[in-house]
Amino acid sequence: MTEPRALEQRTADVRRKLATDVDLWVASADAAGAAYLVPLSFVWHGDTLILATPRASRTARNLLRAGRARVGLGPTRDVVMVDGPVAELSRGADPAAEQAFADAAGFDPRTLPEYLYLRVVPDVIQAWRSPAELPGRTVMRDGRWLAP
């Protein structure tokens, strides 16, 4: 078993992963509680995740109804879990975020009228690479990083 990373190192690793990864898994559930999991592209823009998906998709409907998101990125031995409120980001409300998404994801939802943007503002972020890191897995709580 490997030694657990210090909080500062784990936080730096999470920030790097958020800045460089392109895809993540989005968990949602319908009103009856039926779970759904789908991969989506994202960009870390400022301190938020920006996602894009068709407005009519199960994921968009579930997330907008619930108002909360849980997403995971990375492989199971280097996972980052993000929880937070989710809301639609109206087209044109944040052109820099829309451009950042297009640059990161390799496609531009502004050219796809059926797509909408979703903004997830993390209030909890957890990260671990092994069972040894489970006790210290929280790197953000109440929207605040626990290490600089």
Side-chain angles (χ1 to χ4, degrees):
M1 185 174 348
T2 57
E3 287 294 315
R5 293 169 289 170
L7 176 61
E8 294 77 13
Q9 182 61 55
R10 196 181 307 205
T11 299
D13 293 345
V14 167
R15 288 176 184 247
R16 185 172 29 263
K17 186 176 281 296
L18 288 167
T20 60
D21 281 16
V22 177
D23 300 311
L24 47 67
W25 290 95
V26 179
S28 67
D30 66 18
Y36 191 64
L37 184 67
V38 64
L40 291 179
S41 296
F42 81 98
V43 68
W44 179 248
H45 185 70
D47 58 357
T48 64
L49 293 168
I50 306 296
L51 316 172
T53 192
R55 179 177 296 282
S57 71
R58 193 178 319 181
T59 300
R61 291 191 315 267
N62 289 346
L63 292 177
L64 291 172
R65 179 193 47 76
R68 291 216 34 102
R70 172 162 250 208
V71 304
L73 60 147
T76 55
R77 298 220 179 227
D78 190 13
V79 68
V80 175
M81 300 296 294
V82 179
D83 294 282
V86 61
E88 182 174 352
L89 174 62
S90 299
R91 282 187 185 232
D94 190 340
E98 293 176 46
Q99 187 61 51
F101 181 93
D103 293 343
F107 77 98
D108 191 344
R110 294 172 292 191
T111 66
L112 304 166
E114 70 275 16
Y115 270 67
L116 61 79
Y117 292 100
L118 297 169
R119 178 177 292 196
V120 179
V121 180
D123 52 22
V124 174
I125 298 179
Q126 298 178 320
W128 64 92
R129 289 185 176 160
S130 71
E133 289 194 346
L134 289 175
R137 66 185 169 261
T138 301
V139 298
M140 177 186 279
R141 184 180 296 116
D142 299 325
R144 302 178 79 190
W145 293 101
L146 301 182

